[in-house]
């Protein structure tokens, strides 16, 4: 195990995609998920407390805090979805309970909520089941479960009624349901029709009222589960939101949601005055209660734009995920989809200015962090991210020092050891920037495209930048490319300088780890393992060995081209490595987001301490130069600071003396501008002072005049009040005298009444006393009589008792004598009976034996008889069953017949009434028949005329049919012709595509020929350069014309350098043949391309002519078809008119026979009746 450990100290970042990811613990502390932990952040003391997640967690999905702010519930997925309840009052956030769902298969819990008394917890599972589970969480007992939605309608939020523990609300896409827990089950209360509404959030306003927000920007108010009304949110914000969302599409396709122009209401929270809700991107509206139980919008708060950008930025276009209000309702805090935290003071006075949020702590990265670097002279750390931003953090003050957004994604970052300069790699260039007091400015660009790794040397005079598989070394002073390190076959993923800057180590995806000599540009050592793709490399503390990690799950220590040691890992790949300067520990980051501390020298077995850190792969790790902090960055966008301590909790003693400087860079123009601004502000201050003094003098004069007026006014009021006081005093004295007189009269009156009452009550008391004495005498007399009676009764009772005892004693003596006689007689009888019983038993045994034989014979016959009877009874019972069935059927038939009889009787009565009605109608019809006969005669005449007209119309219809038949034949012929022309057109298209393919093939051949030409040209250039070198060498050789030995040596060296083997003449001849063949092939290809171009042009002209001809014929045919359609339509309308006339004619013919048969029906009905 490592003797040095890491302790999580501070984290910059927020984990998005977690439901309800921000809550207040108290007025100064918030809790939010970051990395793979939950963080309790004190906004005043700027300190954090970590609650780590589970080791085998598959991801955090939702948080919930109890109403008493003591318990925090965290839902995580894994092999089984769990909910862990933590005690926030405990320092380390002690785990209280882990809740599961038993045998149910649950992948995740999408949302949760505590009851108002914090005893119960509800959890909503994900699809496809969407089960709501109700726990008594302290006993880990499931009280009830219910299915809340279907697989197509996801649920987004669940909540308890804050006024009732047993009532719940569930909302989602087409879902808004109220449940009540009763008798061990969750029962749905209301059934509102909301299938077409997508609810994103809701909140309870009272015991029966719920307000819900939708994805179309509607606020709907539900009372007892029924929709009552809609709150109007219309204001100038609506237009602003639509404009803002239109501009959002121009920012980035990936970063900003290109939803409809309707703002979404994604979060809502209630408080004592009303409620707050999000209204589209970057906007929160506060609503307060009206007197008529309605709500009006009181305030509108915006997320502030980026001050470094004048246009609309993604900062103000963030969607709000979660909102919460502090317990004292003084602060509103929000979290956004870009991983930012904002706050707003609700106790601030409302102003006419546009109100804006402030950062809760500071701005965070919203995407993967790609680069991480620290410097020597300042406590700064730089990070680059795919969110187009570069940030400078201070790890001592735990704050954001500088921040800059760019147009492109930042791939890498490196801080100069002085902390005054910075390298940032972009897709097009590598930029060297100055870190000014309030800005980051570029002052030099290098043509290094897509630089994924860059690093300053320890001396700061050089830097290395990676371009694919090449490492460029530049001078910081002259900005010249000193040397290029080439040797990797794949992309380079990691580089690190040695302490003396003479060596550099690199690793890549090709499985190679190279150690380079910077002066010569050559490799000093190498280790290649093609099965492993390396992701991180570092020197050991003594810079003698190399530590590398990759995709083969091991940590390797390499020295002199050999792997000294390997630390095997689990099935998790290492992604980054950092070595402490003291050489006591090695830290590695993994693809699962954990960090491992491994002691150094490396152990043989799997010995390490593992820490839960991030929720994504660790991208970069670095240890500060004073060895106090370990910094780790991840794809989750979080930067985590670890305090490096020993096992006793003490900080490590570093051999390096670190003195942090406070110097900053300021440009001359900025300084002059600030000096000018200071002078202007100073002059403005003097002017304002003079103006204020003048205003103060004027105010003093005005106030003195007002004081004088007020003193005069108050003196007059005091005098008038004194007069009033005197008058009131006299009045009070007068009233006092009157009260004294009246009180004296009342006293006399009351004393007189008191005396009269005393006299009357004294007389009454005397009468009552006499009466009491009489009653007492009567009581004494009755008491004496009762005593005498009791004494006499006692004496008589004693005497009767003595008599009775004498009588019963005499009887007792007689009975004892009789008892002795009876006992003797009974003993004599017992002896006699025993003898008789013995004789009787012998006789009975003989009789029983005879009877047993007799009855056994009878039993055998009876058994045979019973078997016969059973068979007969089975047959009889079947007959009885069939007869009973027939009887039941007959009974049902009888009942049916009775019902049918009743129905027929009713039908007979109704028919009789109908017959009487028909008789009355017949009598009326006889009167109208005469009038109808007259009309029939007239209709017959008209019928004759219509028959004539019908004959004429039939003739015309036949003529029209004869005319339309040839036209229809023409139409069919032209359709066939169009079909043939279309086939020809398809054939021409196919030929064109074939020609295009041949042209493309020829073009490809041309390109290959061009490439070969370029290669030949390059060879020519190389030969020319070689010739130039030969000339220069010959020129140098001429200098030794006086020294034969040196001349001979130099000629030999020139010969060995420039004259190859003996087959050069053959090669040259072969090259000339190849060149001639290439020229011939080139001419042939040019001719074939020319002929193909002419053929293509000719075929294109033919195709154009044919196409124009077909189009003209189509136009004429369409015109003819339209004319024929018009004629056909006219003919059809005429036919419809003729058919209508025929129908009228037939209807009139039918009326005549009905009227003739009318008088005949009457006598037949009478006869039948």
């Amino acid at each position: 195990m490592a003797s040095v450990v890491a302790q999580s100290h501070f984290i910059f970042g927020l984990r998005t995609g977690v439901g309800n990811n921000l809550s207040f613990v108290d007025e100064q502390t918030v809790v939010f998920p970051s990395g793979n932990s939950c963080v309790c952040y004190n906004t005043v003391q700027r300190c954090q407390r970590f609650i780590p997640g589970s080791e085998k967690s598959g991801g955090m999905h939702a948080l919930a805090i109890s109403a008493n702010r003591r318990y925090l519930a965290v839902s995580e997925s894994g092999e089984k979805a769990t909910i862990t309840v933590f005690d926030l009052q405990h320092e380390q956030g002690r785990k209280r309970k882990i809740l599961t769902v038993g045998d149910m298969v649950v992948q995740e819990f999408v949302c949760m909520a505590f009851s108002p008394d914090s005893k119960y917890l509800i959890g909503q599972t994900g699809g496809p089941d969407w089960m709501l589970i109700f726990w008594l969480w302290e006993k880990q007992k499931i009280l009830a479960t219910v299915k809340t939605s279907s697989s197509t309608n996801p649920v987004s939020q669940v909540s308890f009624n804050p006024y009732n523990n047993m009532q719940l609300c569930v909302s989602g896409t087409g879902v808004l349901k109220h449940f009540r827990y009763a008798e061990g089950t969750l029962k749905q209360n209301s059934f509102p029709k909301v299938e077409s509404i997508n609810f994103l959030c809701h909140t309870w306003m009272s015991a029966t009222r719920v307000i819900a927000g939708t994805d179309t920007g509607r606020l709907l108010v539900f009372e007892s589960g029924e929709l009552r009304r809609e709150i109007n949110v219309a204001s100038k914000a609506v237009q602003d939101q639509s404009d803002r969302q239109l501009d959002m599409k121009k920012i980035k396709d990936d970063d900003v949601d290109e939803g409809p122009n309707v703002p979404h209401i994604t979060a809502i929270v209630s408080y004592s005055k009303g409620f707050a809700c999000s209204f589209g991107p970057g906007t929160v509206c506060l609503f307060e209660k009206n007197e008529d139980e309605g709500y009006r919008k009181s305030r509108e708060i915006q997320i502030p734009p980026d001050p470094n950008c004048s246009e609309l930025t993604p900062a103000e276009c963030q969607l709000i995920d979660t909102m919460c209000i502090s317990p004292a309702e003084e602060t509103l805090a929000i979290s956004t989809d870009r991983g930012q935290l904002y706050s707003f003071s609700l106790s601030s006075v409302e102003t006419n200015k546009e109100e804006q949020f402030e950062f809760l702590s500071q701005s965070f990265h919203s995407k993967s962090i790609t680069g991480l670097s620290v410097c020597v002279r300042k406590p700064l750390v730089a990070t680059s991210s795919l969110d187009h931003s570069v940030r400078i953090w201070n790890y001592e003050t735990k704050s954001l020092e500088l921040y800059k957004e760019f147009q492109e994604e930042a791939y890498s970052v490196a801080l100069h050891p002085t902390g005054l300069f910075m390298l940032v790699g972009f897709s097009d260039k590598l930029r060297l920037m100055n870190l000014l007091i309030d800005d980051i400015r570029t002052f030099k660009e290098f043509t290094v495209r897509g630089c994924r790794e860059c690093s300053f040397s320890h001396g700061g005079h050089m830097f290395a930048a990676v371009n694919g598989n090449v490492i460029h070394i530049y001078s910081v002073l002259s900005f010249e490319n000193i040397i290029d390190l080439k040797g990797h076959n794949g992309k380079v993923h990691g580089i690190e300088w040695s302490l003396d800057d003479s060596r550099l180590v690199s690793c890549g995806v090709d499985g190679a780890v190279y150690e380079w000599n910077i002066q010569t540009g050559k490799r000093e050592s190498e280790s290649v393992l093609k099965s492993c793709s390396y992701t991180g490399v570092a020197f050991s503390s003594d810079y003698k060995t190399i530590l590398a990690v990759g995709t083969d799950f091991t940590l390797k220590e390499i020295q002199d081209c050999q792997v000294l040691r390997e630390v095997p890992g689990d099935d998790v790949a290492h992604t980054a490595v950092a070595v402490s300067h003291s050489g006591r520990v090695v830290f590695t980051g993994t693809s699962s987001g954990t960090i491992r501390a491994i002691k150094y020298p490396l152990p043989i077995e799997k010995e390490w301490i593992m820490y839960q850190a991030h929720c994504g792969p660790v991208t970069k790790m670095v240890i500060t130069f004073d060895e106090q902090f370990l910094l780790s960055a991840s794809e989750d966008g979080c930067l985590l600071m670890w305090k490096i301590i020993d096992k006793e909790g003490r900080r490590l003693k570093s051999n390096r003396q670190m003195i942090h400087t406070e110097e900053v860079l300021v440009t001359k123009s900025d300084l002059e501008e600030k000096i000018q601004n200071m002078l202007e502000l100073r002059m403005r201050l003097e002017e304002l002072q003079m103006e204020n003094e003048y205003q103060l003098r004027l105010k003093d004069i005005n106030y003195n005049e007002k004081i004088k007026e007020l003193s005069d006014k108050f003196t007059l009021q005091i005098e008038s009040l004194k007069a009033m006081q005197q008058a009131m005093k006299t009045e009070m004295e007068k009233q006092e005298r009157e009260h004294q007189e009246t009180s004296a009269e009342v006293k006399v009156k009351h004393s007189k009444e008191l005396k009269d009452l005393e006299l009357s009550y004294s007389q009454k008391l005397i009468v009552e006393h006499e009466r009491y004495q009489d009653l007492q005498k009567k009581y004494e007399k009755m008491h004496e009589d009762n005593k005498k009676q009791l004494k006499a009764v006692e004496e008589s009772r004693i005497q009767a008792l003595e008599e009775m005892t004498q009588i019963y004693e005499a009887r007792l003596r007689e009975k004892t004598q009789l008892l002795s006689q009876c006992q003797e007689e009974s003993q004599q009888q017992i002896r006699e009976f025993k003898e008789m019983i013995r004789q009787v038993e012998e006789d009975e045994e003989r009789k029983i034996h005879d009877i047993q034989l007799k009855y056994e014979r009878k039993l055998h016959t009876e058994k045979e008889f019973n078997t016969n009877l059973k068979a007969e009874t089975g047959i009889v019972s079947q007959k009885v069953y069939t007869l009973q069935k027939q009887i039941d059927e007959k009974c049902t038939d009888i009942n049916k017949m009775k019902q049918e009889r009743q129905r027929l009787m009713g039908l007979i009565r109704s028919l009789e009434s109908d017959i009487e009605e028909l008789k009355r109608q017949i009598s009326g019809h006889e009167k109208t028949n005469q009038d109808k006969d007259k009309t029939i005669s007239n209709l017959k005449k008209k019928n004759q005329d219509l028959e004539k007209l019908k004959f004429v119309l039939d003739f015309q219809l036949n003529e029209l049919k004869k005319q339309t038949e040839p036209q229809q034949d023409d139409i069919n012929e032209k359709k066939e012709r169009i079909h043939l022309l279309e086939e020809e057109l398809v054939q021409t298209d196919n030929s064109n595509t074939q020609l295009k393919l041949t042209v493309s093939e020829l073009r490809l051949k041309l390109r290959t020929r061009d490439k070969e030409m370029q290669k030949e040209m390059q060879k020519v250039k190389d030969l020319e350069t070689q010739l130039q070198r030969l000339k220069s060498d010959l020129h140098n050789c001429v200098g030794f014309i006086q020294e034969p030995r040196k001349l001979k040596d130099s000629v030999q060296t020139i010969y060995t350098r420039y004259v190859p083997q003996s087959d050069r003449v053959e090669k040259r001849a072969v090259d000339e043949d190849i060149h001639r063949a290439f020229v011939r092939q080139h001419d042939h290809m040019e001719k074939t391309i020319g002929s193909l171009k002419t053929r293509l042009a000719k075929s294109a002209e033919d195709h154009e002519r044919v196409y124009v001809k077909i189009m003209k014929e189509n136009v004429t045919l369409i015109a003819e078809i339209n004319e024929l359609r018009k004629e056909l339509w006219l003919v059809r309308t005429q036919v419809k008119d003729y058919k209508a006339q025929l129908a009228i004619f037939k209807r009139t013919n039918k009326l005549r026979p009905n009227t003739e048969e009318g008088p005949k029906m009457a006598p037949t009905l009478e006869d039948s009746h």
Side-chain angles (χ1 to χ4, degrees), residues 103-115:
D103 297 332
M104 290 172 62
V105 179
V106 175
Q107 299 295 327
E108 60 177 347
F109 290 96
V110 295
C111 47
M112 302 171 295
F114 277 98
S115 62

Side-chain angles (χ1 to χ4, degrees), residues 693-790:
E693 286 175 0
Y694 175 68
Q695 292 290 336
L696 284 169
R697 283 198 296 273
L698 286 175
K699 283 180 180 178
D700 286 339
I701 294 165
N702 290 328
Y703 285 139
N704 287 328
E705 289 177 356
K706 285 181 180 178
I707 287 166
K708 191 176 179 183
E709 289 175 1
L710 287 168
S711 60
D712 295 338
K713 184 180 177 183
F714 284 132
T715 50
L716 289 169
Q717 286 181 358
I718 286 164
E719 288 174 358
S720 64
L721 286 168
K722 281 181 180 178
M724 285 174 66
Q725 187 183 8
Q726 191 66 31
M728 289 173 75
K729 199 173 184 181
T730 54
E731 184 72 25
M732 191 174 70
E733 289 175 355
K734 184 179 178 184
Q735 286 181 359
E736 193 173 352
R737 285 195 298 273
E738 289 177 356
H739 281 302
Q740 285 177 357
E741 290 174 358
T742 52
S743 63
E745 290 175 359
V746 169
K747 277 182 184 178
V748 172
K749 185 178 179 184
H750 281 298
S751 61
K752 189 176 179 182
E753 288 178 355
L754 189 62
K755 286 178 183 176
D756 294 339
L757 286 168
E758 282 178 356
L759 287 170
S760 62
Y761 280 112
S762 62
Q763 289 174 1
K764 284 181 181 178
L765 277 170
I766 291 164
V767 172
E768 290 294 327
H769 185 66
E770 290 175 352
R771 188 179 170 194
Y772 171 72
Q773 286 178 350
D774 294 338
L775 288 169
Q776 196 169 5
K777 287 176 182 177
K778 285 181 181 178
Y779 171 71
E780 289 174 355
K781 188 177 180 183
M782 287 173 70
H783 189 62
E784 289 174 356
D785 294 339
N786 283 332
K787 277 183 179 179
K788 290 176 182 177
Q789 288 177 4
L790 281 169

Side-chain angles (χ1 to χ4, degrees), residues 56 71 82 92 124 223 246 314 387 537 671 756 836 1167:
K56 296 182 180 179
Y71 303 111
T82 60
Q92 280 78 32
Q124 175 66 58
E223 294 278 354
L246 287 170
D387 62 1
V537 68
L671 193 61
D756 294 339
M836 287 175 66
D1167 295 339

Side-chain angles (χ1 to χ4, degrees), residues 616-650:
V618 177
T619 54
K620 297 289 177 184
M621 289 176 66
V622 68
I623 296 173
T624 58
F625 283 88
D626 57 0
E627 213 170 8
Q628 299 300 316
F629 296 103
L630 167 70
L631 304 167
S632 63
S634 171
E635 288 183 8
D636 61 5
C638 295
L639 173 64
L640 182 54
M641 290 171 52
W642 302 81
K643 195 183 290 183
I644 302 174
I645 55 176
D646 58 15
K647 287 199 170 181
E648 286 75 26
R650 296 190 299 259

Side-chain angles (χ1 to χ4, degrees), residues 12 118 208 273 476 492 542 760 808 838 899 922 942 950 992 1035 1089:
F12 300 98
S118 306
T208 57
K273 293 182 180 179
V476 175
V492 177
D542 56 2
S760 62
Y808 281 106
R838 188 178 61 78
Q899 290 174 1
I922 287 163
K942 287 182 182 179
K950 180 190 173 186
N992 284 336
H1035 181 71
I1089 287 164

Side-chain angles (χ1 to χ4, degrees), residues 11 40 47 113 151 221 467 491 497 503 506 543 686 704 731 782 940 1006 1131 1154:
I11 192 165
C40 294
C47 62
S151 58
V221 182
N467 182 10
K491 289 184 178 180
W497 292 85
R503 293 175 296 149
S506 64
Y543 293 91
E686 290 173 358
N704 287 328
E731 184 72 25
M782 287 173 70
K940 281 180 179 178
L1006 264 176
V1131 170
N1154 288 337

Side-chain angles (χ1 to χ4, degrees), residues 1101-1112:
E1101 288 174 0
D1102 295 340
H1103 173 69
E1104 188 68 28
R1105 283 197 300 274
V1106 170
Y1107 184 73
V1108 169
K1109 186 179 177 183
I1110 289 166
M1111 287 299 292
K1112 286 179 181 178

Side-chain angles (χ1 to χ4, degrees), residues 111-142:
C111 47
M112 302 171 295
F114 277 98
S115 62
D117 60 359
S118 306
K119 290 182 180 178
Y120 304 103
L121 178 72
I122 52 172
Q124 175 66 58
T125 67
D129 295 332
W130 298 105
M131 298 295 292
L132 183 68
I133 300 168
F134 189 86
W135 278 284
L136 181 64
W137 68 266
E138 287 185 340
K139 295 183 179 179
Q140 296 175 308
K141 183 180 178 183
I142 297 175

